[in-house]
Every structure is written in C-alpha cells, then in structure tokens.
C-alpha cells in the first residue's frame, strides 16, 4: 500500500498556492493519494519566534519577486494581492466540514479558494465570499454558513492545528510522506525523486 | 557576452557547501564564469532580525535532517559538524587575498575549506588549520599568515560584506546573474532554467 502525501498548507501562503497547483499531478504519477490539510502557519510562529517572510526587511523584496518568478516558471496565474497576508480561518473550517462529507469536493473548494485569492485577488475571508465560492460547487449556501460557524467544526480545525504543530509542521507548504517531511514548494522536485526511488 | 554567476556563500553555511559542489558544473553547461564571493551571513541578521535557522525551535530539527538528505540526493559527503556554526572570517579573508592573485586558486582553496569542514569536520577557523589547507595548494605558509592578518585584506573583506548587504544578499547561498537574484541551494534548478532560456 503506497503511503499518501499529506499536504499541509495555509490559504494565505503564496508558496502553498504554487504547490497546490502541482501536487495532484505529481501524486498521480506515482499512484499516491493526497490528503489536503489546511492549517494556520501563524500558530507555529509563536513557537519558533519567526515572522512571515514577507514582513522581514530585505527578505520581503526578494520573496515578492521570487514567488512571482516561481509562478511564471510553473506557468500559473499569480500576483501578490494588495490585502496580504490574511487570516484564512473560515475557509479552512469550511474545508474540513466539506472533507467530512466528500474529500474530493473539499479539494475542489480549496483550489477555488486559492485561485480566487492569488489569481483574481478576491476576498476569501468573509462568510459571504466563501459562500459564493461554495455555491459555485453546488454546495448549499445556507448549510455552509451554519456549518462553518458550528462549534464542532471550530473544534475540528483547532485539533488539526494542534496536530500539525505536534508533528513539527512550521511552514507552508509542508509535505509528509510516512515519516518523511519536506518543507517548501521548492522541495517538490525532491518529493518527486523520493517517490520515484522510494527514498534514498 | 554572457553574464557571470556571482555566487555568495558563507563558509559556515551547509547549504552554501551543497551549492559549492554544483555551481561550477552548472555554469560550464551554459558557458558562464562563476565569481565566488564568501561573506558573513550573520551581518544581515542584524538588519532582518532573523536567526540562523539551525537555532530556531522546530525548524532546527527539520533543517538538520533536510540538509543531510539534500547532500545524499546530490551524492556528496556531508554531516553536520559538532562545532557549528562557526565564524569563518579568516578563511574568507584568505580567499580574497588569493583571489587578487589567482582567482582559480582561490576557488580551489574555498572548495578545500568547505570539504574540510563539512565532509571531514576539521577546524577551519584557526590560522594554523587554514595555513595547512593553503599549504596543500602550494601556497606559501608564512606569506599566507601575514596576509590574512593585514589591514588591507581586512578592509577588503569588510567592503565585500558591505556590498553584499547593499545588494540585498541576506542568505547563503545566494546567486546573482545580472539583476536577477536567487536565494538557496534549492533554487539551482531555476538558476539552470534561467540560463537555459535566458530568463522567462
């Protein structure tokens, strides 16, 4: 049985977005499933004392250029939104609510959220904007709005974040295959080699 | 005239070492020269407020594993020295002294320093240890010891560090091709594509 690729990402992470456009095709080439796991990378910053790279002098200018160049390299639409970063709590909760019913639908939703934010600069934080995105996938709008605010899904998302920290996930994107962890969209070539050779 | 690759690295940087084993072959494939520029990445930490990644909780454990895995991927000898990180001031000064006379000899010296530290866990901070490495390249031991302590070479190295900061170099390795900057050993595949396509 091939181990799945666990794909941790923050909806506010540009490099997470880049990886989200690549991970399914990569997994398919090696007959792997991908378990998508949105989380809030900010929670790890308390433990690590780090800041978002796009708030760090010198690094900020480089990163803004690097991520746009990386997107052009992958030939995907991207530019850094004016309103950045954002807290993607509601989108993440909605994702887990969907995933409990239909994991593939949840992944389609995640892709629409990322595309809306990084390709079209749409809001992905308000309940209304997210309900619109959900509706476009034939998800019931009223059910959605109730579900995302439920205590059950808030608890579920908190557990996911706690579990991510316990597992040492401190950046987005972050990939775990069995016991092997890879951090960063730039590690995708090594993830591919890892699957191809079954490690090295 | 093909633009050279300016290769910034800190002798104490494991990812700089990884890149140092790859950059010449890569440049040769595209008929480029490489200008090796040792610097002290620590100077940028004052500006950025960052810490060496191997001192950051959570990140530290990941990085120690990542860099060893990356070295195995490249099939080069590497393990993290017990005495790490170190201040590679004398080695860097010696490099620039050699480079003024014979750039190729300076590069050979840099490769020996990196190999001594990351493949063999030898000291690369003391004058004696560095003089031994220099001697192995038929560099006059007494001249070397005098030169590395001279005010002229101290000034030269300070200028190199100031210039690196002015150019926004904040990590090791760091590559500059014309106006284009790439940070990290993991950007080498993009550096290669950049040279192959003349940008994108």
């Amino acid at each position: 049985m091939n181990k799945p690729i666990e794909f941790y990402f923050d909806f506010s992470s540009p490099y997470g977005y880049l990886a989200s456009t690549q991970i399914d095709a990569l997994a398919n080439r090696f007959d792997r499933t991908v378990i998508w796991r949105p989380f809030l990378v900010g929670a790890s910053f308390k433990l690590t004392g780090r800041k978002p790279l796009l708030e760090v002098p010198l690094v900020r200018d480089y990163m803004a250029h690097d991520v746009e160049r990386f997107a052009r390299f992958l030939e995907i639409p991207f530019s850094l939104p004016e309103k950045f970063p954002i807290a993607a709590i509601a989108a993440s909760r909605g994702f887990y609510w969907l995933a409990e019913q239909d994991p593939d639908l949840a992944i389609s939703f995640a892709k629409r959220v990322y595309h809306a934010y990084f390709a079209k600069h749409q809001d992905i934080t308000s309940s209304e904007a997210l309900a619109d995105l959900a509706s476009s996938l034939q998800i019931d709008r009223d059910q959605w709005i109730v579900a995302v605010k439920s205590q059950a899904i808030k608890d579920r998302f908190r557990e996911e974040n706690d579990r991510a920290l316990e597992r040492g996930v401190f950046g987005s994107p972050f990939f775990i295959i069995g016991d092997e962890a890879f951090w960063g969209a730039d590690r995708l070539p090594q993830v591919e080699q890892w699957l191809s050779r079954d490690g090295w």
Side-chain angles (χ1 to χ4, degrees), chain A:
Chain A
M1 182 67 185
N2 281 336
K3 286 173 189 147
I5 303 170
E6 297 180 73
F7 169 41
Y8 280 95
F9 61 97
D10 186 317
F11 279 115
S12 183
S13 156
Y15 293 101
Y17 163 67
L18 299 188
S20 77
T21 66
Q22 309 297 310
I23 193 65
D24 282 341
L26 192 162
N28 280 340
R29 287 198 286 283
F30 299 97
D31 201 20
R32 306 280 175 140
T33 55
V34 183
I35 303 172
W36 290 50
R37 297 199 186 280
F39 78 117
L40 299 178
V41 71
S44 76
F45 291 156
K46 287 172 202 155
L47 264 177
T48 58
R50 297 168 77 222
K51 286 196 288 191
L53 288 173
L54 281 148
E55 293 177 15
V56 178
L58 282 188
V59 185
R60 178 178 44 211
D61 295 340
Y62 171 81
M63 298 290 276
H65 179 69
D66 178 66
V67 68
E68 296 202 352
R69 182 177 60 199
F70 205 147
R72 291 199 312 274
F73 179 67
L74 298 173
E75 300 182 345
I76 57 169
F78 170 87
S79 62
L80 211 55
E82 251 183 68
K83 204 174 167 185
F84 174 87
I86 47 100
I89 300 169
S92 305
R93 286 177 181 158
F95 174 93
Y96 284 108
W97 175 67
L98 289 175
E100 284 171 2
Q101 305 160 64
D102 182 343
D104 288 340
L105 184 62
I107 292 170
S108 297
F109 172 74
K111 289 177 178 175
R112 291 208 182 186
V113 171
Y114 257 150
H115 188 78
Y117 185 48
F118 286 115
K120 291 155 76 181
H121 293 197
Q122 293 173 0
D123 176 40
I124 60 159
T125 57
S126 74
S127 299
E128 283 303 306
L130 290 166
D132 288 347
L133 285 170
S135 298
S136 75
L137 288 163
Q138 281 72 54
I139 297 158
D140 184 88
R141 191 182 180 93
D142 295 333
Q143 272 195 0
W144 165 272
I145 285 177
V146 172
V148 171
K149 293 179 179 170
S150 73
Q151 193 58 46
I153 211 66
K154 289 180 183 175
D155 291 344
R156 168 73 195 276
F157 185 47
R158 187 176 312 109
E159 284 157 21
E160 289 285 344
N161 277 298
D162 291 347
R163 178 95 186 95
L165 269 187
E166 283 164 23
R167 300 178 82 186
V169 178
F170 57 81
S172 167
F174 205 98
F175 313 95
I176 301 179
I177 306 164
D179 293 325
E180 206 65 24
F182 296 86
W183 169 38
D186 43 48
R187 286 296 176 281
L188 283 172
Q190 288 191 25
V191 168
E192 176 142 18
Q193 283 293 314
W194 192 265
L195 295 175
S196 150
R197 303 193 214 166
D198 202 19
W200 62 76

